Amino acid sequence: NRGAYPHFMLKEIHEQPEVVAHTLLGRVAGESVDLSKELGWTKEDAAKWRKIHFIACGTSHYATVVAAHIMETLGNFEIRTEVASEYRYRNIPIDEETLAVFVSQSGETADTLHAARLAKERGAKCLVITNVRGSTIHREVGEALITPAGPEIGVAATKTFTAQMTVLTLLGLYLAKLRGDLKPDTERRLTAALMDIPGKLATMLSKEKEIEALARDFADARGFFFIGRGLAYPPALEGALKLKEISYLHAEAYPAGEMKHGPIALLDKELPVVALVPKNALWEKTISNIEESMARKSPIIAIATEGDGEIGHYTKHVIFTPETEPELFPFIAIIPLQLFAYYIARQRGCDIDMPRNLAKSVTVE
Ligand code: F6R
């Protein structure tokens, strides 16, 4: 039931504060992460898993790209993120020292399931993160962390993405802690920041009208180019995917520094650049890419941090995000990007909940 919302996608976008709060419930106590009720892992297990493989498709894959960036800041992990349809057919070393984490909203994605079978055969320790208890991947892998996002009806994944990022961040913290890598103040800082995420998502949702107006201004664009650096890059990937899926516009995300290695040739006044430019150590670098884009006459839409007094010199199209710990920027940045894709698609009269050529779960290879 979509209640008063015109589309399930919009309803599900609005459910995200609640979904994140629910996902943290029972997993964070005080300022400490505890997954021992769900995972029977010992310190020795965690020390043995030198290699962490994240395997998923689509939006779930992008959640793992966020996780990898965060985990690299937490401990000495050797991490790979792979799309399932590639992981299966390459010769990636998988062994008893590998923890293979499969992420699938539906738990039915054929490539992810086959990749899990392969990793299991090779002796890896397997874990699944899924939104569907009792799904095929859950039953086959056994050990699971559930994203309690509730059924997602819109074909474009939204609330399950934030739930996946939440669970993956907790997993990273927990593993780092078991291995003795996690600094207590990092645990305190990030758990407190995670607990604040629902409120910050609500702040972003309150900017819906502003984002709708922005989408109205840009609905006739030829396509969109997304850029970001570090942890601003994975939400750019997901923002571009949302646009492609539901508005059928071409959208592409690049690490900002890669732009001049080819794609900058695409830029002109009909190709807006969506720049994710949080106020952090990489801010100036991304600003220089904004300047390069402006020199090619691309309109700039910036996702910037509240209080950034300089971003207004570059563009009048700015969506401000509340400050958070740098690691959690993707959680907040994704809200305006989901809403932007939604309103662009609506302007263009697209079938938002059932986009052409797509199915909610991809059970064929
Ligand atoms: C994007 C989307 C797809 C899925 C992908 C994986 O909005 O829905 O890219 O993320 O098909 O699906 P799951 O997570 O069910 O394995």
Side-chain angles (χ1 to χ4, degrees):
N1 185 310
R2 55 186 162 73
Y5 291 102
H7 297 95
F8 279 105
M9 183 181 177
L10 190 60
K11 174 173 181 267
E12 289 160 359
I13 288 173
H14 278 271
E15 282 170 3
Q16 291 176 104
E18 204 186 309
V19 163
V20 171
H22 202 135
T23 305
L24 293 169
L25 207 70
R27 290 166 168 161
V28 179
E31 287 168 329
S32 160
V33 176
D34 187 4
L35 301 178
S36 63
K37 285 194 223 80
E38 294 155 281
L39 308 173
W41 298 353
T42 62
K43 289 195 166 90
E44 292 69 38
D45 288 331
K48 183 178 77 185
W49 300 325
R50 276 193 320 110
K51 293 181 278 188
I52 317 270
H53 293 182
F54 287 112
I55 303 103
C57 304
T59 293
S60 300
H61 169 61
Y62 294 148
T64 71
V65 179
V66 172
H69 278 241
I70 297 176
M71 280 176 73
E72 282 159 4
T73 71
L74 299 178
N76 186 16
F77 293 108
E78 203 183 298
I79 305 171
R80 302 184 74 120
T81 54
E82 302 288 344
V83 293
S85 57
E86 290 293 315
Y87 188 79
R88 291 176 63 186
Y89 301 114
R90 283 170 55 189
N91 204 14
I92 296 174
I94 309 170
D95 54 28
E96 289 80 19
E97 295 185 343
T98 310
L99 170 66
V101 182
F102 300 87
V103 182
S104 175
Q105 179 280 127
S106 62
E108 303 297 340
T109 299
D111 279 312
T112 312
L113 178 62
H114 283 99
R117 287 179 184 156
L118 174 79
K120 216 166 145 183
E121 260 170 43
R122 302 261 177 97
K125 167 71 189 174
C126 295
L127 170 73
V128 62
I129 296 177
T130 181
N131 200 44
V132 183
R133 204 180 281 282
S135 54
T136 307
I137 299 181
H138 185 189
R139 282 185 276 114
E140 288 207 15
V141 170
E143 200 148 37
L145 290 170
I146 302 293
T147 52
E152 190 173 60
I153 310 295
V155 164
T158 52
K159 63 176 177 174
T160 54
F161 177 68
T162 39
Q164 287 167 346
M165 289 193 294
T166 308
V167 168
L168 285 161
T169 304
L170 295 176
L171 175 66
L173 286 164
Y174 188 62
L175 265 175
K177 190 152 91 167
L178 280 180
R179 291 162 66 126
D181 286 344
L182 187 63
K183 297 191 193 74
D185 58 320
T186 305
E187 183 175 23
R188 272 194 297 274
R189 181 175 65 78
L190 285 180
T191 49
L194 277 169
M195 298 304 265
D196 284 344
I197 286 292
K200 290 181 180 172
L201 300 188
T203 303
M204 291 317 295
L205 289 167
S206 73
K207 297 173 189 267
E208 184 171 354
K209 284 276 166 280
E210 209 182 302
I211 296 161
E212 183 180 358
L214 193 64
R216 224 179 289 124
D217 289 346
F218 285 97
D220 295 326
R222 182 174 84 230
F224 290 90
F225 199 80
F226 287 66
I227 56 171
R229 285 175 185 258
L231 268 158
Y233 172 54
L237 287 166
E238 173 60 4
L241 179 63
K242 290 302 90 151
L243 259 170
K244 279 184 273 217
E245 287 184 287
I246 60 169
S247 77
Y248 318 138
L249 282 174
H250 182 65
E252 175 154 35
Y254 257 85
E258 268 293 294
M259 202 167 69
K260 57 171 101 41
H261 298 285
I264 198 164
L266 289 168
L267 300 190
D268 63 23
K269 64 179 180 344
E270 280 154 38
L271 193 73
V273 171
V274 181
L276 282 71
V277 57
K279 199 75 187 173
N280 61 23
L282 298 171
W283 183 88
E284 269 175 37
K285 297 269 179 206
T286 310
I287 289 289
S288 80
N289 302 118
I290 290 179
E291 286 176 323
E292 285 161 8
S293 310
M294 289 166 72
R296 275 81 192 176
K297 307 222 161 27
S298 285
I300 308 293
I301 300 170
I303 310 293
T305 309
E306 196 72 64
D308 180 341
E310 286 163 86
I311 191 70
H313 302 324
Y314 301 94
T315 176
K316 63 177 182 0
H317 306 295
V318 186
I319 302 292
F320 286 106
T321 62
E323 262 186 76
T324 178
E325 294 302 316
E327 293 90 335
L328 304 188
F329 173 73
F331 288 70
I332 295 174
I334 199 59
I335 303 279
L337 301 184
Q338 291 167 344
L339 285 171
F340 186 67
Y342 173 82
Y343 280 108
I344 292 271
R346 216 163 120 168
Q347 283 292 318
R348 297 175 63 87
C350 301
D351 187 352
I352 292 175
D353 282 335
M354 295 280 277
R356 70 185 186 200
N357 309 345
L358 297 178
K360 186 63 183 164
S361 64
V362 183
T363 52
V364 291
E365 297 177 35

